[in-house]
Every structure is written in C-alpha cells, then in structure tokens.
Amino acid sequence: MGGFNNRIGPLNQLFRIDGQVVVITGATGLLGRKHAEVVAAYGGIPVLLDLNQANIDAFASELEEKYNVPATGMVVDITNETSIEENCALLIKKFGAISGLINNAANNPKVEDSDGKNFSRLENFPLDIWNQDIAVGLTGAFLCAKHYGNAIAENPAGGSIINISSDLGLIAPDQRLYMKEGLAADQQAVKPVTYSVVKTALLGLTRYLATYWADKNVRCNALCPGGIENGQDSAFLAELHSRIPMGRMANADEYQGVIIFMLSQASVYLNGAVIPVDGGRTAW
Ligand SMILES: NC(=O)c1ccc[n+]([C@@H]2O[C@H](COP(=O)([O-])OP(=O)(O)OC[C@H]3O[C@@H](n4cnc5c(N)ncnc54)[C@H](O)[C@@H]3O)[C@@H](O)[C@H]2O)c1
C-alpha cells in the first residue's frame, strides 16, 4: 500500500518546464524554431542562438506574444568560444541559472558542382569544407556543452542537454537515393562524409556528457530525427519513402514531443539514451 510516489510532482505537470532557461543553437532554422516553440509552450524560456539578429528578434517577439514567456536571443557563432563564454555569463546575470541546452545547429552541407566534378564526393571533398562542417556540428556542440553545460551543472536543480544527431548517425547514407540518371559517376552527388561523421560523433559526446555531470543531475540524451519533407523532388521522395516503414518523411513538428520529454521531469531517469525518431527507418 505504498500510495503514489510524488517525487516528480503532479503527473499532469510532468512535462512543464516553467521558468527554465533553455539554450537552443541554430534556433531560427527549420527544426530550431520547433524546439523553441515547444519550450515556450511548456513555460520554459527559450534562448535563441543563431547568426542573424533580425531573424532572432522577430522570432523571439513571436514566441513572447504567443506564449507569454520572456523569449530572448542573440547572435552567437557557436564556433567562437569567446562569444559563447560572453553569452553564457550574460544569461547567468540575466536569469540566474540555465536548465537546458539543445545542440541543434549544423551545416546542412550542400556542395555545388563545378568543373564537371562533384565536390560532395569523398574523392573531391575539400578539406576546408570538412573543417567548416566539423567546426559547426561537432566543435560547436562541444563548446556549448563546455560553457552552457557547465552552467547547468552549477544549477542546483541540474538540467538536460539534448544533442540533435540524425538517423544518419545510426546508419550510412544510401547514396543510391541521390543518383541522377545521365550523370557520369564523378558527377553524382552524395551525402557528404561530414554529415555521417558529425552525427555519429555526437553520440559519443552524448555518452560522455551523460556520465560526466550525472552526479550534478545533468542528463544528456541524443535525438536522431529522420528526414523532413521539405520540397524534395518526387522521384527522390518515392525512393526514400520505400525505405521507411511508415512510408513517409517527417513533418517538422513531429519531434516536439520528444524534445519536451527529454527536457522535462517526464524523462527524469533517461540519461545517455540515443532515440531514433525516424518512422522506423533504422529498424529496417
Ligand atoms: N532537416 C532534416 O531533415 C534533419 C534530419 C535529421 C537531422 N537534422 C538535424 O537537425 C538540426 C537542425 O536542422 P534544420 O533542418 O533545422 O537545419 P537549418 O539549416 O534549417 O538550421 C540550422 C541553423 O543553424 C544555424 N547555424 C549554422 N551555423 C551556425 C553557427 N556557427 N552558429 C550558430 N548557428 C549556426 C543556421 O543559421 C540555421 O538557422 C541539424 O543538426 C540537422 O543536421 C535535420
């Protein structure tokens, strides 16, 4: 007859994150906006980091108006440690504590054809693009974990770090999907190597962080989204759909439930987990 365990508070409040400051990188991109919106909808204070102040300000006002939370945002290039450090100090001064970090920003590598070669191909892939992709997707996540993560560890209540990986952090890209008829082999575009490398490396960062501050109640988990339908051509879509048990790509808002789960008390014992949300693609 133990009665109900009440350590996590009322069950109907399990997903609330009222007043909690959550830093989101790449917050004005396609998915970043969705992450920020669900944070605001559940009472959290989204801190929007991206590269364009006008876009950030417009989106922060939208969130503030719709959800009545003091959404805020700044230009922070996550490859610049000084900029992160200064921003982190500013947030602590303004809000007192940080509770969440969503490492979401990444280059979505699109490499243009030139001189009859396709530079997305491994044999042509330029070192400077490798370095840029690693700098944003991986080094940026490390630097944010170092500073915002440490601030979360200093928060007596702890908090949650989410790394946005990909289904391609779990499986290799199927390069046949990107092949175009009539193009020579050296002109066929491929999913760049950096995407696989960055997304897989984030799983290592997730496990490292999950154990590093566990005694300070900082949890870290990875979300591996499948691709989002966003105007791709119909031949590509038909091929990709045939590789997904649910037979479709995702809508951009279909990750919000897992994001708020991972941030809130609803996932209080979830730590070091790698969660594919991909319509079953990686189950096949
Ligand atoms: N869209 C998809 O289908 C999909 C699928 C699986 C995983 N993902 C992952 O989800 C995340 C978000 O993807 P998205 O589709 O929203 O991408 P997006 O390109 O729409 O958004 C990325 C955002 O990051 C910002 N950014 C880039 N470099 C930055 C830097 N140095 N500092 C700060 N911000 C920077 C960009 O300005 C942009 O707003 C990425 O990690 C992506 O790999 C996306």
Side-chain angles (χ1 to χ4, degrees):
M1 301 293 289
F4 292 109
N5 178 337
N6 200 30
R7 274 180 309 164
I8 52 175
L11 281 181
N12 61 4
Q13 300 293 305
L14 209 52
F15 292 87
R16 297 294 310 181
I17 54 168
D18 293 279
Q20 294 186 23
V21 173
V22 179
V23 176
I24 302 159
T25 68
T28 61
L30 178 68
L31 277 182
R33 298 176 77 89
K34 300 295 175 184
H35 306 329
E37 191 179 8
V38 76
V39 165
Y42 280 78
I45 301 170
V47 174
L48 316 170
L49 306 187
D50 211 305
L51 299 175
N52 178 308
Q53 192 68 52
N55 289 348
I56 293 169
D57 289 345
F59 185 42
S61 311
E62 221 179 278
L63 290 172
E64 191 156 4
E65 200 169 300
K66 187 161 178 200
Y67 296 103
N68 197 26
V69 294
T72 184
M74 308 86 187
V75 167
V76 172
D77 176 345
I78 59 164
T79 65
N80 179 335
E81 183 165 18
T82 309
S83 175
I84 292 175
E85 240 176 319
E86 287 172 4
N87 180 255
C88 190
L90 189 136
L91 293 180
I92 296 293
K93 202 165 159 211
K94 183 172 166 128
F95 295 112
I98 299 174
S99 299
L101 166 66
I102 307 179
N103 276 321
N104 168 76
N107 283 350
N108 281 320
K110 281 194 187 76
V111 185
E112 301 299 321
D113 287 3
S114 110
D115 300 325
K117 276 191 199 168
N118 191 304
F119 284 98
S120 64
R121 299 192 64 80
L122 183 64
E123 60 275 23
N124 304 326
F125 201 69
L127 178 60
D128 61 327
I129 299 205
W130 165 277
N131 285 334
Q132 286 166 31
D133 290 349
I134 302 283
V136 179
L138 184 55
T139 311
F142 150 67
L143 290 174
C144 287
K146 176 174 169 184
H147 294 286
Y148 302 113
N150 190 52
I152 298 171
E154 286 172 356
N155 180 343
S160 168
I161 300 173
I162 302 175
N163 291 325
I164 305 296
S165 175
S166 166
D167 53 0
L168 297 184
L170 300 168
I171 56 173
D174 185 341
Q175 306 291 11
R176 294 169 300 179
L177 282 168
Y178 309 98
M179 288 183 77
K180 293 259 187 300
E181 253 180 63
L183 276 186
D186 67 350
Q187 290 172 30
Q188 294 288 350
V190 295
K191 193 79 174 177
V193 61
T194 41
Y195 200 73
S196 290
V197 170
V198 164
K199 294 306 175 185
T200 307
L202 286 177
L203 306 183
L205 182 66
T206 299
R207 297 188 183 101
Y208 190 96
L209 295 174
T211 58
Y212 195 76
W213 287 308
D215 60 337
K216 304 245 176 14
N217 207 22
V218 180
R219 303 178 293 109
C220 179
N221 297 288
L223 168 58
C224 299
I228 292 158
E229 186 156 350
N230 197 17
Q232 296 92 339
D233 74 59
S234 56
F236 172 84
L237 285 176
E239 279 293 320
L240 181 54
H241 290 173
S242 75
R243 290 160 171 81
I244 301 171
M246 288 180 74
R248 63 175 181 86
M249 296 183 81
N251 300 315
D253 58 7
E254 289 179 324
Y255 302 110
Q256 290 175 302
V258 181
I259 291 286
I260 196 62
F261 167 66
M262 284 179 162
L263 286 174
S264 66
Q265 289 290 92
S267 64
V268 73
Y269 199 55
L270 186 82
N271 190 27
V274 173
I275 302 195
V277 183
D278 61 0
R281 182 170 183 203
T282 55
W284 244 348

